[in-house]
Amino acid sequence: MTLPGLRERKKQRTRNALIRVALELFTARGYEGTTVDEIVEAVEVSQRTFFRYFSSKEEVAFAVQQMVEERFVRSLGQRPPAEGPLDAMRNAVLSSWDTIGEAITAVVPVGLYLRTFQLIESTPALLAVHLRRSTEMEETIARIIAEREGVDVDADPRPRIAVAAFSGVMRVTGQMWGRGEDQSLEAIRALTEEYLDHLAPALAPHWRDRRALPDAP
Amino acid sequence: MTLPGLRERKKQRTRNALIRVALELFTARGYEGTTVDEIVEAVEVSQRTFFRYFSSKEEVAFAVQQMVEERFVRSLGQRPPAEGPLDAMRNAVLSSWDTIGEAITAVVPVGLYLRTFQLIESTPALLAVHLRRSTEMEETIARIIAEREGVDVDADPRPRIAVAAFSGVMRVTGQMWGRGEDQSLEAIRALTEEYLDHLAPALAPHWRDRRALPDAP
DNA sequence: AGGCTAGTGACAGTCGCTGACAATTGACAA
DNA sequence: TTGTCAATTGTCAGCGACTGTCACTAGCCT
């Protein structure tokens, strides 16, 4: 295993430059307010080259997100078998938040990533793609969970259902974090824990008589 | 309240024609394989007119879906207050499936609608839009649920969480229905009931020891 | 050193979509 | 009925995302 040649390194640099410049322009002028021509001009490559690295203008906005997702999947694969499905997913998210910082910084500043995440949530075209990508992730996760629990994904609907419910909560978490004040990694971590704690009680037959909040006496 | 004038009726006819022709072409040649020019040529209007009725090529694919959603929301609003959140949503879906047929047929044949639904599930660009629309629906539903239960949507996360979990299951239902054999209204109804029954058990801490399926002894 | 090929740029063209303005047609009052 | 007004439509020009093609440049390998 030899280190990559000049050609390969050059490609990586171009790709990272495209991502960085794109995210900077997107967060500064908005996604729709930025043209591909502006991105490629700043990086000094042709438009054709941009579309060789990214199949669409949208895709470049998710390049970092992609890394984060791969990290989560790897983390989930390493959860101890004793944990139930929901706990495994919960702990996998939380533990991947912990070590995400450094991995991202290799490509773009963390602050830029967080702003990009909010941009995605608030830009309809990007939100749509984000949600589609999420469902693809759900399928991946469902297969891992099914494997862990020793059931057949296609015969037993529980893996997909559990994952769908979990992902739904994670999505609400991201949404609320984007709208809130504190836009730090710690804040999203705390919200994640809080909202996941609410999942089971929220599905209880009735809320009215007692406020069945997890941290209520 | 007088019946609509000629102008209004003409507009409605144009709109319906555009929807019908669009869905027929989409299901026949695929979404990307159909151009807006082909649609407008078949209906004999200018492209500009198409975009006055629909803000995008995607939107026309969801025109019927829109009706179905409005129906669900109305149905949810009429559920008896005694029903818990999850039951109210469940019954609202099921009861709106019952009367959906006639409402759709006024615009397009039911078969065409069902095929369109599958097209949406299998076309990435449409699926993305579908999911974004779904989250908008979720917000609407969450507010209704919060109102029913007498809580504040922004202070109490349970409405959004319950709705997110519910919607996640509904999405999986649609997906599985699209992939399965029996593509009838009855089939999707049955699947809906089955999958919703699985929701609570799927979130239980462990599945392994006993198959905690609702219909198992 | 020199041939090979992956990667790039330049160019032309398609398609979705929009603004501007002119032409048409239903609505409604004189 | 007819003339005026306003709503609807068509035409045209143009932008931006994206793709196929082909020539060319630059790293790679013998």
Side-chain angles (χ1 to χ4, degrees):
Chain A
M1 170 91 44
T2 167
L3 78 157
L6 175 57
R7 193 178 256 170
E8 200 58 36
R9 273 177 288 149
K10 216 168 175 179
K11 261 171 53 178
Q12 203 54 52
R13 271 210 320 261
T14 308
R15 192 184 139 86
N16 284 353
L18 283 171
I19 294 173
R20 187 185 195 119
V21 168
L23 297 192
E24 268 160 7
L25 289 177
F26 288 167
T27 51
R29 315 182 190 176
Y31 176 72
E32 263 113 27
T34 308
T35 68
V36 174
D37 281 338
E38 288 168 346
I39 300 170
V40 299
E41 193 189 358
V43 182
E44 296 186 293
V45 293
S46 72
Q47 203 200 48
R48 199 68 187 80
T49 294
F50 176 93
F51 285 109
R52 285 200 182 94
Y53 281 98
F54 307 99
S55 62
S56 67
K57 180 183 165 188
E58 282 144 7
E59 195 181 308
V60 69
F62 292 94
V64 184
Q65 188 68 22
Q66 175 86 29
M67 292 174 38
V68 176
E69 286 164 8
E70 281 161 11
R71 211 169 183 79
F72 168 78
V73 169
R74 229 174 304 131
S75 172
L76 181 61
Q78 290 167 358
R79 298 311 308 171
E83 289 178 347
L86 216 54
D87 281 336
M89 291 191 277
R90 177 205 183 95
N91 292 331
V93 197
L94 292 176
S95 99
S96 61
W97 283 129
D98 285 340
T99 57
I100 249 167
E102 314 98 60
I104 293 177
T105 316
V107 186
V108 295
V110 185
L112 183 55
Y113 168 65
L114 296 180
R115 271 181 289 137
T116 302
F117 189 85
Q118 291 176 255
L119 180 78
I120 291 173
E121 290 276 350
S122 60
T123 306
L126 292 181
L127 179 57
V129 173
H130 176 60
L131 294 168
R132 177 170 53 77
R133 290 172 45 88
S134 298
T135 63
E136 285 160 17
M137 267 291 284
E138 283 181 41
E139 183 64 20
T140 306
I141 300 173
R143 287 176 189 281
I144 297 177
I145 294 293
E147 174 104 36
R148 279 175 60 91
E149 300 292 320
V151 301
D152 178 355
V153 239
D154 294 310
D156 189 335
R158 288 176 301 168
R160 288 204 177 93
I161 291 173
V163 172
F166 174 82
S167 305
V169 176
M170 291 306 300
R171 219 190 47 244
V172 173
T173 306
Q175 238 172 46
M176 294 299 126
W177 171 78
R179 293 191 205 165
E181 303 292 307
D182 187 355
Q183 283 146 7
S184 61
L185 273 176
E186 293 73 41
I188 198 170
R189 215 195 124 89
L191 263 186
T192 302
E193 294 197 87
E194 185 195 339
Y195 282 11
L196 284 177
D197 284 338
H198 279 295
L199 178 52
L203 297 175
H206 285 287
W207 302 344
R208 245 168 291 183
D209 305 328
R210 51 199 169 79
R211 260 183 75 89
L213 294 177
D215 52 355
Chain B
M1 170 84 55
T2 169
L3 77 158
L6 173 57
R7 192 175 259 170
E8 202 57 37
R9 275 178 286 149
K10 214 168 176 181
K11 261 172 54 178
Q12 203 55 53
R13 270 208 322 250
T14 308
R15 191 185 141 86
N16 284 354
L18 284 171
I19 295 173
R20 189 186 195 116
V21 168
L23 297 191
E24 269 160 6
L25 290 176
F26 287 168
T27 52
R29 315 181 189 175
Y31 176 73
E32 262 114 26
T34 308
T35 66
V36 174
D37 281 338
E38 288 168 346
I39 300 170
V40 300
E41 192 188 1
V43 182
E44 295 185 295
V45 293
S46 72
Q47 203 201 49
R48 200 69 187 79
T49 295
F50 176 94
F51 285 108
R52 286 202 180 93
Y53 281 97
F54 307 99
S55 63
S56 68
K57 181 184 167 189
E58 282 144 5
E59 195 182 309
V60 69
F62 293 94
V64 185
Q65 188 68 22
Q66 174 87 27
M67 292 174 37
V68 176
E69 286 164 9
E70 282 162 10
R71 214 170 181 77
F72 167 79
V73 170
R74 228 173 304 130
S75 173
L76 180 61
Q78 289 167 357
R79 298 310 308 170
E83 289 178 346
L86 216 54
D87 281 336
M89 292 191 276
R90 176 205 184 96
N91 293 331
V93 198
L94 292 175
S95 98
S96 61
W97 281 129
D98 286 339
T99 57
I100 249 166
E102 315 99 59
I104 293 177
T105 314
V107 186
V108 296
V110 184
L112 183 55
Y113 168 65
L114 296 179
R115 272 181 288 136
T116 302
F117 190 86
Q118 291 176 257
L119 180 78
I120 291 172
E121 291 276 351
S122 60
T123 305
L126 292 181
L127 179 56
V129 173
H130 175 60
L131 295 168
R132 177 170 51 77
R133 290 172 45 88
S134 297
T135 62
E136 284 161 17
M137 267 291 284
E138 284 181 41
E139 183 64 19
T140 305
I141 300 173
R143 287 175 189 282
I144 298 178
I145 293 293
E147 174 103 36
R148 280 175 60 90
E149 299 293 319
V151 301
D152 178 356
V153 239
D154 293 310
D156 190 335
R158 289 176 301 170
R160 289 205 176 93
I161 290 173
V163 172
F166 174 83
S167 305
V169 176
M170 291 307 300
R171 220 190 44 243
V172 173
T173 306
Q175 238 173 46
M176 295 298 126
W177 171 79
R179 292 192 204 164
E181 303 292 308
D182 187 355
Q183 283 146 6
S184 61
L185 272 177
E186 293 72 42
I188 197 171
R189 216 196 122 88
L191 264 187
T192 303
E193 294 198 86
E194 185 195 337
Y195 283 10
L196 284 177
D197 284 339
H198 279 294
L199 177 53
L203 297 175
H206 285 287
W207 303 344
R208 246 168 289 183
D209 306 328
R210 52 199 168 80
R211 259 183 77 84
L213 294 177
D215 52 355

